[in-house]
Amino acid sequence: MRTLRSASRETATKTSQFFDATNATNARRATRSSLARFAYNPSSIADADDSSSKAGLEDVTLGSDIEDAVTTKVSRKRKRTATSSQSSSSDPSRQAEGRRATTRTAPAMVKTEEDGEETQAQIETEPTSPDGSQNFEPASATKPRGRVRKPARKTVDPATGAVKVEPPTNWEEMYNLVKEMRISGPAANAAVDTMGCERLARADASPRDRRFQTLVALMLSSQTKDTVNAEAMARLHNELPPHKPGAPPGLNLENMLAVDPKLLNELIGKVGFHNLKTKYLKQTAEILRDKFGGDIPPTVETLCSLPGVGPKMAHLCMSATYGWNKVEGIGVDVHVHRITNLWGWNETKTPEDTRKALESWLPRDKWKEINWLLVGFGQTVCGPVKGSRRCGECELGLRGLCKSAERGKVNEGRKRREMEGKVKDEKEVRMEVDKKEEDVEVKEEVTEEVVKKNGAKGRTRSPRRIKTEGE
Ligand code: SF4
């Protein structure tokens, strides 16, 4: 009997050794996440097919921005609840791992303006926790900690039945702090301030040409850094040949109609999707000539009828000083969409949804400014890639107003600020002491002079007895 048992044990050991040997190249544990890659997921397959070909770009229809051609991939996130992670293992280290897993955010691969042509960046799409804590414990998941921001929401007055939109909590305080940072803080001097589309039309051109130049700048700007866009616009201004002998060179409708598409493609060759943009620019020039009397259309709807122009570009073109200078809506680009969601002002999936959400409560006098405000803020402080954000210098993080702040950086920033405050206080005290000492010296000198002048008789008071401010 014993021999039989030992023989079967030996067989089991050998079998296990055999399987170990055959799996030597793939020693990873078969966790749920590693097996998840074999799961059937039709949407991801469709996405992969789309992105692997340029067909996606060709799908851009009239009335959508060029950047709408880029598909957004949202990876599948492993769901693990606090109870399952705790009950599945009695090992404390595995439980801790489970807790960490619940703090991870669902990464989304998106095209970013900063990254220009075809770089994809991982952005945070969900807050780490209600208060932005990185050490978020699942046990307290149901209990919001810290300051919880309510997004903009509709409320119905039970008495009258009137529907009212409540703005998000603390929005005005946050807005004003960001504005301060943009004007004289860490978010000042953003690329958009000097090279944004609004700044790329030539001041000495005619109003009609300036409008056309603004529209071209906007069409080139999608999926392109401001610096690269400004360079391409400079080439168009300087190198676009005249449409006939004696006519001025540069960026205007007539020269755009006459230019060879190959040359145009070369001039804008550094911007993202330049082939597609060359096609759209030539088509747009013809539409403007044939349907709009050589000028750009004067409404959001008609602007959206141009190829590659969507609501974002249309609203920005309408509100630009060198566009129509009329504010009809908010120009929501990736920065405005991303940052307002990051703050919890809205919970929206697309820039167009964000535009509608913001327009429902944001005062109209801020509709133009908010684009400048948040684009620059996104370029300098609150970038699209988590980890590169400057939460330790951001007033929203330092004052506990941002639920997505990176806690470690904020703590460091607060300590630094405390130290700076102490150094400042010490300096002020030092300066006050120095000033008092100087005053005493001056008074003593004056007294000595008086004594010298008046001689021994004039010594009515000893210099030592003169009272100073500090005494
Ligand atoms: S605290 Fe960080 S995440 Fe929040 S707005 Fe500031 S930079 Fe962005």
Side-chain angles (χ1 to χ4, degrees), residues 342-343 377 381-382 389 391 394 396-397 402 404-405:
L342 208 63
W343 289 343
F377 186 59
V381 173
C382 189
R389 292 178 198 145
C391 302
C394 174
L396 303 186
C402 178
S404 305

Side-chain angles (χ1 to χ4, degrees), residues 375-395:
V375 171
F377 186 59
Q379 287 176 340
T380 50
V381 173
C382 189
V385 183
K386 196 181 173 192
S388 72
R389 292 178 198 145
R390 296 161 66 191
C391 302
E393 295 163 63
C394 174
E395 287 300 326

Side-chain angles (χ1 to χ4, degrees), residues 36 119 238 360:
T119 312
N238 300 327
S360 69

